Structure formats: C-alpha cells, structure tokens
C-alpha cells in the first residue's frame, strides 16, 4: 500500500508548485480561452492544451521533472514558471562564460509612457531599442546584452506599459577614465529618449551589478507577461485578445554581442522548447491531476498526502504589480 511518507521532500515541493500554478491556470483559463477563440490565425487546439497543461507529470528520484504534458503557451502560468526556471539556469551558464571577457556588468531598465494600443507600444519600444543599441557610443561601451520585454496593464487607465530589462556586458575598460567609454545616467536617458523619439522624460534605471548577479538574471529570466497583471475578474475579453494578438510570434527575449556568442556555444534558446530538467527513467514517479490534487498513478484520490499539505490558493495571492517606472513631463530648458 502506498504510504503518505514515501513522497520525498523534493517531490512534495515540486507538486506544491504545480498545484499553485494549477490554481492560477484555473483562474485565468476561461477568459484566456475565450479570447483565443476570437483570433482566427491561432489554432483552437491551443486553448484546449492550455486547460489540460500539467495534468500529467513525472518526477525522478532526484527531484527533477522528467516529463509533463506542457502546452508551452507563453500565457500559461505553469509553462511560464517552468520556462523562467529553465532560462534562469541557462542565463547563469552564459554569465559564467562571458566573465572570461569582462567582469563589468550592469542592469538597465528602459521605459516609455503607457500606450493605449499594445501593438503600437511594442513596435515603438522595439524600434527605439534597435536605434539605442546601434548608437555609436553604446556599441563601443557595451560588448553584449541579454534583454527581455515585460508588459503590464493599467486597468484603471486602460493602458499598456511595455518596458525592457537588460543585463549589459560592459567593456573591460568601461570605468577607465582614459578610454572615454563610461556613459552616465543622464547620457543613457538622453540616448533612450532620442531613440524612442519621446517628448517627455522617462525613467531609465542603470545600476552596476556587483554581487547580486542572481537577482539581476532573475529580473531578465522572469515572466515577460504576468497573467495576474492582465487576467483579472474585471478584464474584458477584448483586452486579453489584444495582448495575445500583439505578442503572437514576437520575440520577447533576445541576446546580443558576446551573450549571443555564448548562447550559440552553450546551446541556449531565448524561448526554451524543452521544459523538463532531466531524462526520463523507469524509476520516475508519475502523477495525474484530478479533483484539485496530484496523485501517483494507481493511487485512489483519498489516499494522497496532499489532503493534509495543500491549502486553498486565493486570488489575492496571485496578484503582482509593476511599480518600476515613473515619468515626468519634458519642460523647457531640458535636453531632448
């Protein structure tokens, strides 16, 4: 007979994480599926796969996920979580590789004013980013980058806030006063404002990465779009449809310069396809999701430890906001 205490702590932790994401999935799926059904160029099987995502998982004795029916949709809470964990590990590998060329790194956040139309906003910020990274001084001072686009939604104003997080690999002599490679905060702001052709001041945050490289990489590896910031009980279907359509087949994460070289050598994909963490084996424990819990295959629902372990997930626990960006109007006398 299967005993409660035969589950390893690692398995318990993984199943707890899956259950948390399953709760979010059930919360967001109805509106997400309704929105997808209105977009003709997206296969309707996508909606069904989102709802069924994570209903089967396999975990190795070492606590690694070796199999699951992932839908791989970028708005699925389960696949977002797995993709973020996967890309975080890969970005750490890339960072270790790039350290051979430079030890100077910085975290840069580029913002713009909220947009009523998400597609226009993304096109503006991507066009601006292209001009920004091709600036003559930027190309001299920055030898590589990894960046991600993050999108949040202001429900009160009905506007979108796309912004970019980047880890910059700075030139080895970036801080050498004799090389003229250093770029000040004000210069970054002026260059970015020109790049997006803004007539207002945006907040450009640039900070050297000294010890907390894990935190900086987590910022780039995190979810590009948080479902909790868009898929609320008050969100209209048309808003969700706009989000899906505007980001469909968009590259939300990319690498440049020495980070792109590292990605090719290590074999890193900007959007991971394989969300497992190990190869399957005959010793793996397999689980299915039923009646709000995961049970080992062959075990009756009432014979599961998760009756005792799992507490209900409330909607408030899934809410997240973005408060990283503020703006002030452009006034006479200030540089453009």
């Amino acid at each position: 007979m299967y005993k409660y205490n035969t589950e390893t702590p690692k398995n318990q932790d993984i199943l707890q994480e899956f259950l948390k994401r399953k709760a979010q999935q059930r919360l967001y799926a109805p509106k997400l599926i309704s929105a997808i059904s209105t977009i003709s160029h997206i296969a309707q099987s996508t909606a069904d796969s989102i709802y069924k995502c994570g209903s089967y998982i396999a975990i190795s004795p070492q606590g690694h996920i070796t199999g699951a029916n992932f839908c791989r949709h970028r708005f699925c809470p389960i696949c977002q979580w797995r993709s973020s964990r996967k890309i975080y590990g890969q970005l750490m590998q890339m960072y270790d590789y790039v350290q051979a060329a430079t030890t100077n790194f910085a975290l840069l956040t580029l913002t713009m004013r909220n947009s009523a139309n998400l597609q226009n906003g993304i096109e503006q910020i991507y066009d601006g980013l292209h001009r920004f990274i091709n600036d003559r001084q930027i190309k001299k001072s920055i030898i590589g980058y990894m960046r991600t686009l993050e999108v949040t939604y202001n429900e009160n104003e009905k506007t979108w806030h796309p912004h970019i997080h980047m880890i910059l690999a700075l030139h080895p002599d970036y801080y050498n006063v004799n090389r003229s490679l250093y770029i000040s905060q004000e210069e970054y702001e002026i260059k970015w404002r020109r790049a997006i052709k803004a007539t207002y001041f945006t907040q450009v945050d640039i900070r050297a990465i000294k010890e907390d490289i894990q935190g900086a990489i987590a910022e780039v590896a995190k979810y590009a779009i948080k479902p909790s910031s868009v898929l609320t009980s008050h969100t209209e279907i048309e808003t969700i449809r706009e989000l899906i359509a505007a980001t469909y087949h968009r590259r939300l994460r990319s690498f440049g310069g020495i980070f792109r070289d590292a990605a090719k050598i290590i074999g890193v994909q900007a959007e991971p396809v394989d969300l497992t963490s190990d190869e399957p084996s005959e010793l793996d424990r397999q689980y299915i999701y039923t009646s709000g819990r995961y049970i080992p295959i062959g075990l009756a629902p009432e014979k599961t430890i998760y009756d005792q372990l799992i507490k209900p997930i409330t909607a408030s626990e899934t809410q997240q906001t973005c408060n990283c960006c503020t703006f002030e109007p452009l006034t006479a006398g200030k540089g453009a």
Side-chain angles (χ1 to χ4, degrees), residues 8 73 83 86 120 137 146 192 197 222 227-228 245 259 305 319:
T8 67
H73 194 279
S83 178
K86 187 95 173 186
N120 291 344
Q137 187 177 4
M146 44 184 165
W192 177 240
K197 302 178 180 180
K222 70 182 182 180
S228 58
F259 275 115
I305 59 172
Q319 299 304 306

Side-chain angles (χ1 to χ4, degrees), residues 155-166:
E155 193 168 323
N156 293 327
E157 298 179 2
K158 309 298 182 185
T159 57
W160 299 95
H161 179 46
H163 52 287
I164 290 172
H165 298 290
M166 303 178 73

